[in-house]
Each structure stands twice: as structure tokens, then as C-alpha cells.
């Protein structure tokens, strides 16, 4: 497979990961999807556009090209569940609302999925690993921001309405606690938005696997409610009137991340 990801190297010790922004499908996946899934409803829509200011910050960026319906890059390769209760796996079998993703008997074969693991999942994770290693070698530390979004109401996955900004640090294991506290303080300055730390979304495999504060790699996941920047249902339009204020919060969060790193590792 080619073009499984896009990567741009930056000039500051920050890597932004976008594992669920991809829209490409393999023939086996595309041919087997139920009609309701063909619009790719569980995509982290418009995340590259929402974060396009990251170039100005000087961040490195890695983004998936293939849909999570092919393989979920934020799940471990052994497919062990990350959350209690309803969730999706390395090879999603259902939509977020619990409806089967594929027509009966039309799922990709085990051999095809092994190829997705080797040729899509593998390169994405190697890119993160190599870039974090480069950043730590150059700056003495590395910061990883795993950028996600989801509908604000998904009853099959969580009760009620999701807070707008959902920060995850794997209950404090993936980054320095002072950094998490400072990010919460940034969110609190923007009173029009709600936020939570380590609520329903504590960080997926990328945050949990790569976050290693004892070795100067600090990882944070942000699960952003899509109601803050887009229409949550088809045709999933980007809403600049909503997105621009939300981008100001994102800029403040990433600026604080970099400022904390510069103070912590002068």
C-alpha cells in the first residue's frame, strides 16, 4: 500500500498525531460496508483543517490517510480492549451506535487484515516512534498531542452529552501532572466551553503506549466534541462560525504545552 499517512517535520518539540482523520478505504472494506457506513460517519472529520495553525507553531504532524473502518490506529496490535463497556476494536465491527459495520459475511479476510496491520498500522506507529525519538534527541524531551473528535451524543458509548474538551492522560501516567493541570487551567479560561480530565476518554493506545514522562516524553489526548466546530451529522460540514472560537482554545492549549516544556526543560 502507498500513501498510508502524511508526515511533516516541524521545528519545535511537539508532534501532533491525527489517527482517525483518514478517508481512504481498501476495496475489501468498501465492498463490505453497510449503506449507512458509506458516508464514514465515525471519522474525526476536518481535524487537519481545524489544526492547520500548527504550521505556525512549528509542530510536526502525522495524519492517517486510511479510515478507521480499515484499521484503528489508536488500538493496540493485539486488539486488547482499552475501555470497559462498549468500545470499538483494532478492526471495527460496528458503528459507534452499535450497528454492524459490514454486511453479513462481507468482512475483510484475516489475511487482508494482517496486511492492514503491517502496511498501515505499522508505518504510522513507526513514524510516531521515530519522530518522538528525534525530538527527544534534539531538544531533551518530546511532546505528543493525539488529536481526536467525536459526536457530542453517542448513547451506545457514553451517557448524556460529552464535555466539549476531553483531555486524557491515562489517569496521569502519560504526562507530568503539572502539565495536565496547566492544560485544565487553559480550558477553564474559556468559560463558553466545558472540559474534563480523564473522563470517558482517558487516552487510547497512542497516548498510553508513547507517553513516558519518566523518559521525558509527555503525551496528551484530546477528544473534542464535534459540536464545537462542525455539523455532527451528514454531510458533516465544517462550520467556520463554530470552529474559529474553538481554534483559539486549541491554540492556547498547544501554546501552553510548548511553554510548559520550555520551562520544564530549559
Amino acid at each position: 500500500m502507498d500513501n498510508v499517512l502524511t508526515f511533516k517535520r516541524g521545528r519545535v518539540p511537539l508532534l501532533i498525531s491525527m489517527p482517525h482523520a483518514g478517508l481512504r478505504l481498501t476495496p475489501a472494506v468498501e465492498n463490505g460496508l453497510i449503506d449507512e457506513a458509506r458516508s464514514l460517519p465515525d471519522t474525526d472529520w476536518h481535524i487537519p483543517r481545524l489544526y492547520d495553525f500548527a504550521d505556525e507553531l512549528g509542530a510536526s504532524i502525522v495524519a492517517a490517510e486510511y479510515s478507521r473502518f480499515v484499521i484503528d490506529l489508536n488500538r493496540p496490535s493485539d486488539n486488547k480492549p482499552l475501555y470497559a463497556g462498549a468500545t470499538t476494536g483494532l478492526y471495527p465491527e460496528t458503528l459507534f451506535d452499535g450497528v454492524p459495520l459490514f454486511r453479513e459475511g462481507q468482512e475483510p479476510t484475516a489475511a487482508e487484515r494482517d496486511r492492514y496491520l503491517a502496511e498501515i498500522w505499522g508505518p504510522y506507529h513507526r513514524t510516531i516512534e521515530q519522530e518522538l525519538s528525534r525530538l527527544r534527541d534534539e531538544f531533551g524531551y518530546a511532546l505528543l498531542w493525539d488529536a481526536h473528535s467525536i459526536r457530542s451524543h453517542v448513547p451506545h458509548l457514553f451517557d448524556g452529552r460529552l464535555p466539549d474538551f476531553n483531555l486524557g492522560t491515562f489517569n496521569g501516567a502519560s504526562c507530568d501532572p503539572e502539565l495536565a493541570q496547566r492544560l485544565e487551567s487553559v480550558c477553564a479560561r474559556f468559560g463558553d466551553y466545558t472540559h474534563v480530565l480523564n473522563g470517558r476518554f482517558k487516552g487510547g493506545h497512542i497516548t498510553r503506549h508513547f507517553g513516558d514522562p519518566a523518559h521525558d516524553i509527555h503525551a496528551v489526548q484530546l477528544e473534542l466534541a464535534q459540536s464545537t466546530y462542525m455539523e455532527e451529522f451528514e454531510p458533516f460540514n465544517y462550520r467556520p462560525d463554530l470552529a474559529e472560537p474553538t481554534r483559539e482554545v486549541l491554540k492556547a492549549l498547544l501554546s501552553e504545552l510548548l511553554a510548559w516544556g520550555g520551562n520544564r526543560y530549559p
Side-chain angles (χ1 to χ4, degrees):
M1 292 180 179
D2 59 358
N3 300 321
V4 301
L5 59 86
T6 58
F7 173 69
K8 183 174 183 179
R9 178 171 291 176
R11 62 181 187 276
V12 299
L14 169 61
L15 171 63
I16 301 174
S17 162
M18 305 175 180
H20 293 155
L23 300 175
R24 296 182 66 184
L25 298 172
T26 64
V29 170
E30 185 171 14
N31 292 337
L33 290 177
I34 63 170
D35 290 342
E36 297 91 324
R38 295 191 177 279
S39 63
L40 308 183
D42 298 341
T43 300
D44 290 9
W45 290 100
H46 310 296
I47 287 292
R49 180 177 179 180
L50 193 67
Y51 281 86
D52 65 10
F53 62 86
D55 276 349
E56 299 174 10
L57 291 178
S60 298
I61 301 170
V62 59
E65 289 292 319
Y66 277 89
S67 168
R68 69 188 303 162
F69 289 169
V70 177
I71 189 169
D72 191 330
L73 301 179
N74 203 27
R75 297 294 183 269
S77 59
D78 61 8
N79 203 18
K80 289 184 178 178
L82 296 177
Y83 295 100
T87 188
T88 55
L90 180 67
Y91 305 107
E93 299 287 350
T94 66
L95 294 169
F96 282 171
D97 60 9
V99 173
L101 183 60
F102 294 98
R103 299 193 304 275
E104 187 173 356
Q106 297 300 305
E107 303 88 351
T109 65
E112 287 166 332
R113 286 175 164 171
D114 286 345
R115 187 164 65 97
Y116 304 160
L117 182 65
E119 299 182 16
I120 301 175
W121 191 97
Y124 194 88
H125 284 256
R126 284 195 297 274
T127 299
I128 293 177
E129 182 177 20
Q130 290 165 4
E131 182 61 3
L132 291 176
S133 178
R134 183 191 74 82
L135 293 174
R136 187 174 58 179
D137 288 347
E138 180 174 345
F139 297 98
Y141 68 103
L143 305 169
L144 173 63
W145 184 267
D146 206 38
H148 296 262
S149 72
I150 193 171
R151 290 199 314 272
S152 58
H153 291 87
V154 186
H156 184 66
L157 297 183
F158 52 83
D159 295 331
R161 179 185 174 88
L162 195 68
D164 297 320
F165 286 79
N166 299 265
L167 297 165
T169 66
F170 193 29
N171 291 326
S174 70
C175 81
D176 188 289
E178 182 191 4
L179 173 56
Q181 184 179 30
R182 288 178 60 166
L183 294 175
E184 276 201 288
S185 296
V186 170
C187 289
R189 296 206 310 261
F190 294 86
D192 291 338
Y193 297 95
T194 57
H195 71 277
V196 69
L197 174 65
N198 293 315
R200 172 62 177 84
F201 296 98
K202 304 178 188 300
H205 176 68
I206 289 172
T207 304
R208 302 180 191 198
H209 178 73
F210 290 106
D212 187 3
H215 294 91
D216 304 310
I217 298 177
H218 303 270
V220 178
Q221 176 178 295
L222 176 63
E223 191 77 60
L224 182 65
Q226 291 179 341
S227 57
T228 64
Y229 73 94
M230 61 171 280
E231 294 176 0
E232 295 190 299
F233 295 94
E234 197 173 352
F236 310 114
N237 289 329
Y238 188 81
R239 288 274 306 274
D241 58 317
L242 299 175
E244 284 309 309
T246 299
R247 279 159 55 90
E248 293 305 310
V249 187
L250 295 173
K251 291 176 187 178
L253 285 166
L254 294 182
S255 295
E256 185 68 25
L257 192 71
L258 288 166
W260 176 86
N263 291 329
R264 174 69 174 78
Y265 300 92

